[in-house]
Amino acid sequence: MELHPRVLAAVRRDLQRLTGLCGSDVQQLLTAAASSCRRGGPVPVLLFHRRMETRLGVGCPVLDRLLRGGLPAALSELAGESGAGKTQLALQLCLSVQYPTQYGGLDSGAVYICTEDSFPSRRLLQLIRHQPRLRSDVPPSLINSLQFSDRVYIEHAADLDSLQACLTRRVPLLLARGRVRLLVVDSVAALFRSDFLAADWLARTKGLLALSSTLHHLSLEFTTPVLCINQVTDVFSGSGDSLGPATSSVTSNVTSDVTPALGLAWANQVTVRLVMRRLQGTIVLGDQSSALRRLEVVFAPHLPPSGRNAGVWREGVRGEEGTDGCIR
């Protein structure tokens, strides 16, 4: 059946907008897809939309509203300076994924791959103890029934080969058996900064593309959110890692411009880019105080650029009401 030219034109416009490809590249993509359909049967064109409809909630109503329900089943990046709260949010997601779907979870576990630091097990146990305070929307009997620590699978990868081996052997087994529905890599930049010299940019780019291909495959095959923690670089530092779109934030009369590490080669592989910032100022919650943070959406196919202020507490990361606003 031939499609109406108006439909084809709309598809071309959407593909150009979502992929950043030029018109001739989009036409080449459509031709290749049509050729593939003739050889191997129909392509599930709605698969991308179904993956984006899958959501893993953060466990905080404010941040879940920012993300329109949470992380999609796609490759997401959470970048930020050291101490911004990236690992805190990743650990919180490792617990959130274990809740039933009606409470924003995926009723499964998480696999957490550490590439530079040891796994923060003490902090995870603290978050588990304080789940009733964070998740007041969940019946206490349900929280007490969940064996949180038994469903977080920890891996360590000291180099890129070890990471690829983990992602192609052990992680697919956990996913296929339904043990996990969240994959966290903390952090993606560490191995590329340690395994490659500055002059090895071509080999590094090939390694990045191979890694992103593996992560996309896992997310697609198992409808699983994949979260990669990334470091950031001051765009004025002159570092070779600072290539890529910078993000800007104005906070407490101080403007900071940072960009996630690994450059455009990596940025083009990411479906959702989030940035966590540590701002000037302190906020108070009961007997606790926290440095002010902000979680920002830099780009995503289903979200506008925006952000919410947040704090890191004993029970986890909570967004602050009334701190919405678009990024300028």
Side-chain angles (χ1 to χ4, degrees):
M1 180 182 68
E2 293 293 329
L3 291 175
H4 192 280
R6 175 176 53 80
V7 177
L8 286 174
V11 170
R12 289 192 181 96
R13 285 197 303 271
D14 285 345
L15 284 174
Q16 284 186 260
R17 177 175 57 83
L18 291 171
T19 64
L21 297 173
C22 64
S24 60
D25 287 341
V26 167
Q27 183 58 49
Q28 184 179 357
L29 175 62
L30 291 173
T31 302
S35 180
S36 176
C37 287
R38 286 193 292 271
R39 291 196 304 269
V43 174
V45 294
L46 297 179
L47 182 58
F48 174 78
H49 297 285
R50 287 199 293 268
R51 290 172 60 208
M52 297 303 289
E53 287 173 358
T54 299
R55 291 287 193 278
L56 169 58
V58 175
C60 166
V62 176
L63 299 182
D64 282 336
R65 285 197 297 271
L66 170 67
L67 302 176
R68 291 187 183 173
L71 293 184
L75 177 54
S76 299
E77 174 196 61
L78 177 59
E81 302 95 337
S82 177
K86 307 183 298 296
T87 297
Q88 304 288 331
L89 194 60
L91 292 175
Q92 187 162 316
L93 285 163
C94 288
L95 302 182
S96 182
V97 71
Q98 301 184 39
Y99 287 96
T101 54
Q102 62 263 41
Y103 296 110
L106 297 175
D107 201 15
S108 189
V111 57
Y112 199 108
I113 304 176
C114 303
T115 65
E116 49 183 334
D117 297 323
S118 59
F119 181 77
S121 55
R122 293 180 61 183
R123 176 56 173 157
L124 180 69
L125 293 175
Q126 184 184 43
L127 291 174
I128 292 172
R129 288 196 304 271
H130 290 279
Q131 278 297 289
R133 181 169 181 172
L134 179 71
R135 300 304 305 267
S136 58
D137 59 313
V138 181
S141 58
L142 175 57
I143 296 177
N144 293 332
S145 70
L146 295 174
Q147 302 296 317
F148 288 108
S149 58
D150 292 342
R151 302 178 81 186
V152 179
Y153 298 85
I154 303 165
E155 297 279 352
H156 288 86
D159 53 50
L160 191 56
D161 290 338
S162 299
L163 178 59
Q164 282 285 17
C166 179
L167 292 174
T168 56
R169 298 173 190 172
R170 296 189 290 278
V171 171
L173 288 176
L174 291 170
L175 289 165
R177 293 171 181 173
R179 302 281 184 84
V180 300
R181 284 288 302 281
L182 170 66
L183 169 60
V184 178
V185 180
D186 186 3
S187 72
V188 67
L191 298 182
F192 288 95
R193 284 178 163 174
S194 61
D195 286 7
F196 297 95
L197 299 175
D200 299 333
W201 63 270
L202 182 57
R204 189 179 76 160
T205 299
K206 290 180 178 179
L208 278 172
L209 296 179
L211 174 61
S212 66
S213 177
T214 301
L215 295 173
H216 277 296
H217 172 75
L218 292 172
S219 177
L220 175 63
E221 182 174 357
F222 298 102
T223 318
T224 295
V226 174
L227 179 65
C228 290
I229 306 299
N230 196 6
Q231 301 158 1
V232 296
T233 305
D234 186 340
V235 297
F236 301 112
S237 68
S239 167
D241 282 341
S242 64
L243 297 175
T247 63
S248 179
S249 179
V250 180
T251 58
S252 302
N253 300 318
V254 176
T255 303
S256 60
D257 290 285
V258 295
T259 188
L262 300 179
L264 287 171
W266 171 253
N268 289 333
Q269 307 305 312
V270 174
T271 305
V272 177
R273 168 165 281 178
L274 307 174
V275 170
M276 181 75 88
R277 300 178 182 276
R278 183 166 178 152
L279 311 181
Q280 293 185 355
T282 301
I283 51 178
V284 176
L285 179 65
D287 63 342
Q288 303 181 70
S289 62
S290 168
L292 183 62
R293 270 87 166 182
R294 185 172 177 85
L295 180 64
E296 295 177 350
V297 177
V298 179
F299 62 74
H302 61 299
L303 297 172
S306 188
R308 296 291 187 279
N309 289 355
V312 177
W313 315 101
R314 284 191 291 266
E315 63 270 24
V317 181
R318 289 180 182 267
E320 294 288 298
E321 294 281 3
T323 60
D324 57 319
C326 294
I327 301 172
R328 291 181 172 84

